[in-house]
Amino acid sequence: MRGLSLFSALFAMLSCTAVVAASDPDPIGTIYNGHVPADLYGSNYTYPWPVKLYKFYNQHQHLEMAFMDVPADRHYDKNKTAVLLHGGNFCSVTWSDTARQLSAKGYRVILPDDIGFCKSSKPQGYSYNVQQQAENINSLLTALGIDEVTVIGHSMGGMIAARYGLMYADTIKQLFLVDPLGLEDWVAKGVPYLPIDETYESQVVQNFTTLKAYEEASYFYNATWEPAYNTWVDMLANIYAGDYGLEYSYVMALVTDALLSQPIIYQLPLLKTNTYLMVGENDMTALGKAWSSSAVAATLGHYSVIGPAAAALIPNCTFHMFPGLGHAPFLQAPQEFYKVLFSWLD
């Protein structure tokens, strides 16, 4: 009996070890440089540089994060690496022209598609909080051997960038926030809770017409819609219409729910990085505006007001507001955007 008890104890110890090992794998995944299909996880948009995959294990799932690694055109040193984080209705490829500009200045540029978006995995049972997305980006950079980086985030990517600045301040050379979401507390201002299933129903019917109407009203408010913007609407509409359309619609519902509960406005005073905030004067973007009362909706998304107020909260912050521009100044007036960006870099 004593031998059996010892065997049982040893077996229990080994089983416990196996459970721990299975639930806590190596947090750093692997980089796949091989062939990837043109239509990847529902995105068939053509990217200008080879798409690589970061394969890793997270939240009990095997995931693939698509990204582009753009080399510097001139002499590169490790102090000149930039990671560009896209918005919720954008993809990494939307940053392509900015990446070219940075590359010409000697920067290596990393362009990831966040988990759930574009050419990356779209897990359904996943917590899409901004801390998790920031951790995913840091895990990718670690796998690439990058230990110091300039972070540039737009819209939702700006929220993730700000959280990245709080979590990994020692690794950041400069932090750029471009019309980030979360500069106001939407729920505190009266945005009602919308169940995830209802948000999903509003997402699953999205198409080119509905997406363009939303972007025209929020991103390019009081501006002329340029034909060049259509390509970015097509990029998004094709994901909704593709093989992963239902999955993507549910991801967007989960993301919306996560972002609504995580405005960054309260954490901005804690940033210790050199931070640069730029917003478009005419930006009217706000989560929850579509299902809020007209009285509440009228109070939301005024970046001409919330931008300067947020900048005043951030230590070591430099602020710029683009007159007459909206939510995506790097698309609407790229030369104006680059003039400000490169005056601040380094």
Side-chain angles (χ1 to χ4, degrees), residues 256-279:
T256 301
D257 189 71
L259 297 186
L260 276 169
S261 64
Q262 293 188 292
I264 59 172
I265 187 65
Y266 304 119
Q267 286 75 47
L268 293 181
L270 303 177
L271 283 171
K272 297 179 180 179
T273 59
N274 291 322
T275 304
Y276 304 82
L277 173 63
M278 59 178 83
V279 302

PDB file of all heavy atoms in Angstrom, residues 256-279:
ATOM      1  N   THR A 256     -15.553  46.118 -30.062  1.00  0.00           N
ATOM      2  CA  THR A 256     -16.333  47.286 -29.652  1.00  0.00           C
ATOM      3  C   THR A 256     -16.667  47.219 -28.174  1.00  0.00           C
ATOM      4  O   THR A 256     -16.536  48.209 -27.437  1.00  0.00           O
ATOM      5  CB  THR A 256     -17.628  47.383 -30.478  1.00  0.00           C
ATOM      6  OG1 THR A 256     -17.293  47.493 -31.863  1.00  0.00           O
ATOM      7  CG2 THR A 256     -18.458  48.582 -30.065  1.00  0.00           C
ATOM      8  N   ASP A 257     -17.092  46.054 -27.719  1.00  0.00           N
ATOM      9  CA  ASP A 257     -17.428  45.879 -26.312  1.00  0.00           C
ATOM     10  C   ASP A 257     -16.210  46.116 -25.420  1.00  0.00           C
ATOM     11  O   ASP A 257     -16.314  46.760 -24.368  1.00  0.00           O
ATOM     12  CB  ASP A 257     -17.968  44.460 -26.092  1.00  0.00           C
ATOM     13  CG  ASP A 257     -18.548  44.269 -24.707  1.00  0.00           C
ATOM     14  OD1 ASP A 257     -19.623  44.837 -24.425  1.00  0.00           O
ATOM     15  OD2 ASP A 257     -17.926  43.557 -23.892  1.00  0.00           O
ATOM     16  N   ALA A 258     -15.032  45.621 -25.847  1.00  0.00           N
ATOM     17  CA  ALA A 258     -13.811  45.787 -25.046  1.00  0.00           C
ATOM     18  C   ALA A 258     -13.371  47.244 -25.004  1.00  0.00           C
ATOM     19  O   ALA A 258     -13.010  47.765 -23.946  1.00  0.00           O
ATOM     20  CB  ALA A 258     -12.702  44.906 -25.609  1.00  0.00           C
ATOM     21  N   LEU A 259     -13.402  47.918 -26.152  1.00  0.00           N
ATOM     22  CA  LEU A 259     -12.916  49.297 -26.203  1.00  0.00           C
ATOM     23  C   LEU A 259     -13.801  50.244 -25.409  1.00  0.00           C
ATOM     24  O   LEU A 259     -13.310  51.191 -24.778  1.00  0.00           O
ATOM     25  CB  LEU A 259     -12.824  49.768 -27.648  1.00  0.00           C
ATOM     26  CG  LEU A 259     -11.843  49.036 -28.573  1.00  0.00           C
ATOM     27  CD1 LEU A 259     -11.784  49.723 -29.930  1.00  0.00           C
ATOM     28  CD2 LEU A 259     -10.459  48.955 -27.958  1.00  0.00           C
ATOM     29  N   LEU A 260     -15.106  50.010 -25.433  1.00  0.00           N
ATOM     30  CA  LEU A 260     -16.015  50.892 -24.709  1.00  0.00           C
ATOM     31  C   LEU A 260     -15.711  50.931 -23.217  1.00  0.00           C
ATOM     32  O   LEU A 260     -15.925  51.949 -22.557  1.00  0.00           O
ATOM     33  CB  LEU A 260     -17.463  50.440 -24.924  1.00  0.00           C
ATOM     34  CG  LEU A 260     -18.143  50.936 -26.193  1.00  0.00           C
ATOM     35  CD1 LEU A 260     -19.463  50.215 -26.426  1.00  0.00           C
ATOM     36  CD2 LEU A 260     -18.378  52.445 -26.125  1.00  0.00           C
ATOM     37  N   SER A 261     -15.187  49.839 -22.702  1.00  0.00           N
ATOM     38  CA  SER A 261     -14.912  49.766 -21.261  1.00  0.00           C
ATOM     39  C   SER A 261     -13.486  50.176 -20.902  1.00  0.00           C
ATOM     40  O   SER A 261     -13.118  50.139 -19.734  1.00  0.00           O
ATOM     41  CB  SER A 261     -15.161  48.342 -20.756  1.00  0.00           C
ATOM     42  OG  SER A 261     -14.248  47.427 -21.350  1.00  0.00           O
ATOM     43  N   GLN A 262     -12.684  50.589 -21.905  1.00  0.00           N
ATOM     44  CA  GLN A 262     -11.281  50.868 -21.632  1.00  0.00           C
ATOM     45  C   GLN A 262     -10.800  52.209 -22.208  1.00  0.00           C
ATOM     46  O   GLN A 262      -9.795  52.267 -22.888  1.00  0.00           O
ATOM     47  CB  GLN A 262     -10.406  49.754 -22.193  1.00  0.00           C
ATOM     48  CG  GLN A 262     -10.586  48.417 -21.492  1.00  0.00           C
ATOM     49  CD  GLN A 262      -9.552  47.416 -21.972  1.00  0.00           C
ATOM     50  OE1 GLN A 262      -9.569  46.975 -23.112  1.00  0.00           O
ATOM     51  NE2 GLN A 262      -8.648  47.071 -21.100  1.00  0.00           N
ATOM     52  N   PRO A 263     -11.515  53.310 -21.949  1.00  0.00           N
ATOM     53  CA  PRO A 263     -10.996  54.597 -22.431  1.00  0.00           C
ATOM     54  C   PRO A 263      -9.633  54.872 -21.798  1.00  0.00           C
ATOM     55  O   PRO A 263      -9.391  54.513 -20.644  1.00  0.00           O
ATOM     56  CB  PRO A 263     -12.048  55.599 -21.947  1.00  0.00           C
ATOM     57  CG  PRO A 263     -12.677  54.946 -20.754  1.00  0.00           C
ATOM     58  CD  PRO A 263     -12.696  53.474 -21.092  1.00  0.00           C
ATOM     59  N   ILE A 264      -8.746  55.494 -22.579  1.00  0.00           N
ATOM     60  CA  ILE A 264      -7.384  55.720 -22.063  1.00  0.00           C
ATOM     61  C   ILE A 264      -7.236  57.053 -21.352  1.00  0.00           C
ATOM     62  O   ILE A 264      -6.190  57.332 -20.779  1.00  0.00           O
ATOM     63  CB  ILE A 264      -6.347  55.654 -23.212  1.00  0.00           C
ATOM     64  CG1 ILE A 264      -6.659  56.710 -24.287  1.00  0.00           C
ATOM     65  CG2 ILE A 264      -6.293  54.257 -23.802  1.00  0.00           C
ATOM     66  CD1 ILE A 264      -5.588  56.823 -25.346  1.00  0.00           C
ATOM     67  N   ILE A 265      -8.290  57.858 -21.355  1.00  0.00           N
ATOM     68  CA  ILE A 265      -8.188  59.212 -20.814  1.00  0.00           C
ATOM     69  C   ILE A 265      -7.717  59.223 -19.358  1.00  0.00           C
ATOM     70  O   ILE A 265      -6.965  60.110 -18.947  1.00  0.00           O
ATOM     71  CB  ILE A 265      -9.542  59.954 -20.959  1.00  0.00           C
ATOM     72  CG1 ILE A 265      -9.411  61.422 -20.569  1.00  0.00           C
ATOM     73  CG2 ILE A 265     -10.646  59.255 -20.194  1.00  0.00           C
ATOM     74  CD1 ILE A 265      -8.520  62.218 -21.467  1.00  0.00           C
ATOM     75  N   TYR A 266      -8.119  58.230 -18.565  1.00  0.00           N
ATOM     76  CA  TYR A 266      -7.761  58.214 -17.146  1.00  0.00           C
ATOM     77  C   TYR A 266      -6.318  57.800 -16.902  1.00  0.00           C
ATOM     78  O   TYR A 266      -5.752  58.096 -15.847  1.00  0.00           O
ATOM     79  CB  TYR A 266      -8.708  57.285 -16.378  1.00  0.00           C
ATOM     80  CG  TYR A 266     -10.157  57.633 -16.548  1.00  0.00           C
ATOM     81  CD1 TYR A 266     -11.053  56.732 -17.117  1.00  0.00           C
ATOM     82  CD2 TYR A 266     -10.643  58.891 -16.163  1.00  0.00           C
ATOM     83  CE1 TYR A 266     -12.399  57.055 -17.281  1.00  0.00           C
ATOM     84  CE2 TYR A 266     -11.990  59.222 -16.327  1.00  0.00           C
ATOM     85  CZ  TYR A 266     -12.853  58.307 -16.887  1.00  0.00           C
ATOM     86  OH  TYR A 266     -14.173  58.634 -17.052  1.00  0.00           O
ATOM     87  N   GLN A 267      -5.705  57.100 -17.861  1.00  0.00           N
ATOM     88  CA  GLN A 267      -4.334  56.632 -17.688  1.00  0.00           C
ATOM     89  C   GLN A 267      -3.290  57.570 -18.299  1.00  0.00           C
ATOM     90  O   GLN A 267      -2.101  57.409 -18.061  1.00  0.00           O
ATOM     91  CB  GLN A 267      -4.168  55.236 -18.298  1.00  0.00           C
ATOM     92  CG  GLN A 267      -4.799  54.105 -17.495  1.00  0.00           C
ATOM     93  CD  GLN A 267      -6.299  54.083 -17.629  1.00  0.00           C
ATOM     94  OE1 GLN A 267      -6.829  54.183 -18.726  1.00  0.00           O
ATOM     95  NE2 GLN A 267      -7.013  53.953 -16.525  1.00  0.00           N
ATOM     96  N   LEU A 268      -3.726  58.527 -19.096  1.00  0.00           N
ATOM     97  CA  LEU A 268      -2.773  59.402 -19.782  1.00  0.00           C
ATOM     98  C   LEU A 268      -1.804  60.112 -18.827  1.00  0.00           C
ATOM     99  O   LEU A 268      -0.625  60.272 -19.167  1.00  0.00           O
ATOM    100  CB  LEU A 268      -3.525  60.430 -20.637  1.00  0.00           C
ATOM    101  CG  LEU A 268      -4.289  59.856 -21.836  1.00  0.00           C
ATOM    102  CD1 LEU A 268      -4.977  60.985 -22.608  1.00  0.00           C
ATOM    103  CD2 LEU A 268      -3.368  59.070 -22.759  1.00  0.00           C
ATOM    104  N   PRO A 269      -2.233  60.552 -17.633  1.00  0.00           N
ATOM    105  CA  PRO A 269      -1.278  61.216 -16.732  1.00  0.00           C
ATOM    106  C   PRO A 269      -0.153  60.302 -16.246  1.00  0.00           C
ATOM    107  O   PRO A 269       0.841  60.792 -15.702  1.00  0.00           O
ATOM    108  CB  PRO A 269      -2.159  61.665 -15.558  1.00  0.00           C
ATOM    109  CG  PRO A 269      -3.537  61.762 -16.121  1.00  0.00           C
ATOM    110  CD  PRO A 269      -3.607  60.638 -17.115  1.00  0.00           C
ATOM    111  N   LEU A 270      -0.310  58.975 -16.461  1.00  0.00           N
ATOM    112  CA  LEU A 270       0.693  58.022 -15.989  1.00  0.00           C
ATOM    113  C   LEU A 270       1.783  57.749 -17.019  1.00  0.00           C
ATOM    114  O   LEU A 270       2.767  57.072 -16.714  1.00  0.00           O
ATOM    115  CB  LEU A 270       0.016  56.696 -15.612  1.00  0.00           C
ATOM    116  CG  LEU A 270      -1.096  56.781 -14.559  1.00  0.00           C
ATOM    117  CD1 LEU A 270      -1.719  55.414 -14.341  1.00  0.00           C
ATOM    118  CD2 LEU A 270      -0.563  57.347 -13.245  1.00  0.00           C
ATOM    119  N   LEU A 271       1.619  58.266 -18.237  1.00  0.00           N
ATOM    120  CA  LEU A 271       2.619  58.018 -19.276  1.00  0.00           C
ATOM    121  C   LEU A 271       3.943  58.679 -18.915  1.00  0.00           C
ATOM    122  O   LEU A 271       3.986  59.847 -18.516  1.00  0.00           O
ATOM    123  CB  LEU A 271       2.126  58.551 -20.625  1.00  0.00           C
ATOM    124  CG  LEU A 271       1.089  57.706 -21.364  1.00  0.00           C
ATOM    125  CD1 LEU A 271       0.540  58.453 -22.566  1.00  0.00           C
ATOM    126  CD2 LEU A 271       1.692  56.371 -21.802  1.00  0.00           C
ATOM    127  N   LYS A 272       5.014  57.922 -19.082  1.00  0.00           N
ATOM    128  CA  LYS A 272       6.354  58.432 -18.765  1.00  0.00           C
ATOM    129  C   LYS A 272       7.216  58.597 -20.024  1.00  0.00           C
ATOM    130  O   LYS A 272       8.369  58.992 -19.925  1.00  0.00           O
ATOM    131  CB  LYS A 272       7.036  57.488 -17.784  1.00  0.00           C
ATOM    132  CG  LYS A 272       6.309  57.381 -16.442  1.00  0.00           C
ATOM    133  CD  LYS A 272       7.007  56.405 -15.502  1.00  0.00           C
ATOM    134  CE  LYS A 272       6.261  56.309 -14.174  1.00  0.00           C
ATOM    135  NZ  LYS A 272       6.920  55.330 -13.257  1.00  0.00           N
ATOM    136  N   THR A 273       6.660  58.263 -21.158  1.00  0.00           N
ATOM    137  CA  THR A 273       7.406  58.342 -22.410  1.00  0.00           C
ATOM    138  C   THR A 273       7.344  59.761 -22.973  1.00  0.00           C
ATOM    139  O   THR A 273       6.509  60.579 -22.564  1.00  0.00           O
ATOM    140  CB  THR A 273       6.805  57.386 -23.445  1.00  0.00           C
ATOM    141  OG1 THR A 273       5.436  57.746 -23.642  1.00  0.00           O
ATOM    142  CG2 THR A 273       6.874  55.948 -22.970  1.00  0.00           C
ATOM    143  N   ASN A 274       8.211  60.054 -23.921  1.00  0.00           N
ATOM    144  CA  ASN A 274       8.064  61.276 -24.709  1.00  0.00           C
ATOM    145  C   ASN A 274       6.903  61.037 -25.669  1.00  0.00           C
ATOM    146  O   ASN A 274       6.990  60.204 -26.562  1.00  0.00           O
ATOM    147  CB  ASN A 274       9.346  61.581 -25.482  1.00  0.00           C
ATOM    148  CG  ASN A 274      10.479  61.996 -24.570  1.00  0.00           C
ATOM    149  OD1 ASN A 274      10.261  62.700 -23.595  1.00  0.00           O
ATOM    150  ND2 ASN A 274      11.682  61.545 -24.873  1.00  0.00           N
ATOM    151  N   THR A 275       5.811  61.744 -25.445  1.00  0.00           N
ATOM    152  CA  THR A 275       4.560  61.466 -26.150  1.00  0.00           C
ATOM    153  C   THR A 275       4.190  62.621 -27.068  1.00  0.00           C
ATOM    154  O   THR A 275       4.314  63.794 -26.696  1.00  0.00           O
ATOM    155  CB  THR A 275       3.421  61.216 -25.137  1.00  0.00           C
ATOM    156  OG1 THR A 275       3.804  60.156 -24.245  1.00  0.00           O
ATOM    157  CG2 THR A 275       2.139  60.825 -25.853  1.00  0.00           C
ATOM    158  N   TYR A 276       3.709  62.269 -28.260  1.00  0.00           N
ATOM    159  CA  TYR A 276       3.331  63.252 -29.273  1.00  0.00           C
ATOM    160  C   TYR A 276       1.913  62.941 -29.715  1.00  0.00           C
ATOM    161  O   TYR A 276       1.645  61.853 -30.218  1.00  0.00           O
ATOM    162  CB  TYR A 276       4.299  63.199 -30.452  1.00  0.00           C
ATOM    163  CG  TYR A 276       5.736  63.394 -30.024  1.00  0.00           C
ATOM    164  CD1 TYR A 276       6.482  62.324 -29.523  1.00  0.00           C
ATOM    165  CD2 TYR A 276       6.340  64.643 -30.078  1.00  0.00           C
ATOM    166  CE1 TYR A 276       7.787  62.495 -29.095  1.00  0.00           C
ATOM    167  CE2 TYR A 276       7.649  64.830 -29.660  1.00  0.00           C
ATOM    168  CZ  TYR A 276       8.369  63.756 -29.167  1.00  0.00           C
ATOM    169  OH  TYR A 276       9.661  63.932 -28.737  1.00  0.00           O
ATOM    170  N   LEU A 277       1.009  63.877 -29.474  1.00  0.00           N
ATOM    171  CA  LEU A 277      -0.402  63.684 -29.790  1.00  0.00           C
ATOM    172  C   LEU A 277      -0.795  64.618 -30.923  1.00  0.00           C
ATOM    173  O   LEU A 277      -0.559  65.834 -30.848  1.00  0.00           O
ATOM    174  CB  LEU A 277      -1.259  63.972 -28.551  1.00  0.00           C
ATOM    175  CG  LEU A 277      -2.779  63.976 -28.741  1.00  0.00           C
ATOM    176  CD1 LEU A 277      -3.281  62.609 -29.183  1.00  0.00           C
ATOM    177  CD2 LEU A 277      -3.474  64.407 -27.442  1.00  0.00           C
ATOM    178  N   MET A 278      -1.361  64.056 -31.978  1.00  0.00           N
ATOM    179  CA  MET A 278      -1.846  64.878 -33.080  1.00  0.00           C
ATOM    180  C   MET A 278      -3.260  64.453 -33.439  1.00  0.00           C
ATOM    181  O   MET A 278      -3.575  63.254 -33.453  1.00  0.00           O
ATOM    182  CB  MET A 278      -0.916  64.777 -34.291  1.00  0.00           C
ATOM    183  CG  MET A 278      -0.713  63.400 -34.855  1.00  0.00           C
ATOM    184  SD  MET A 278       0.365  63.401 -36.333  1.00  0.00           S
ATOM    185  CE  MET A 278       1.987  63.395 -35.592  1.00  0.00           C
ATOM    186  N   VAL A 279      -4.133  65.437 -33.677  1.00  0.00           N
ATOM    187  CA  VAL A 279      -5.530  65.143 -33.996  1.00  0.00           C
ATOM    188  C   VAL A 279      -5.995  66.066 -35.114  1.00  0.00           C
ATOM    189  O   VAL A 279      -5.448  67.158 -35.320  1.00  0.00           O
ATOM    190  CB  VAL A 279      -6.459  65.331 -32.773  1.00  0.00           C
ATOM    191  CG1 VAL A 279      -6.024  64.457 -31.605  1.00  0.00           C
ATOM    192  CG2 VAL A 279      -6.530  66.796 -32.350  1.00  0.00           C
TER     193      VAL A 279
END
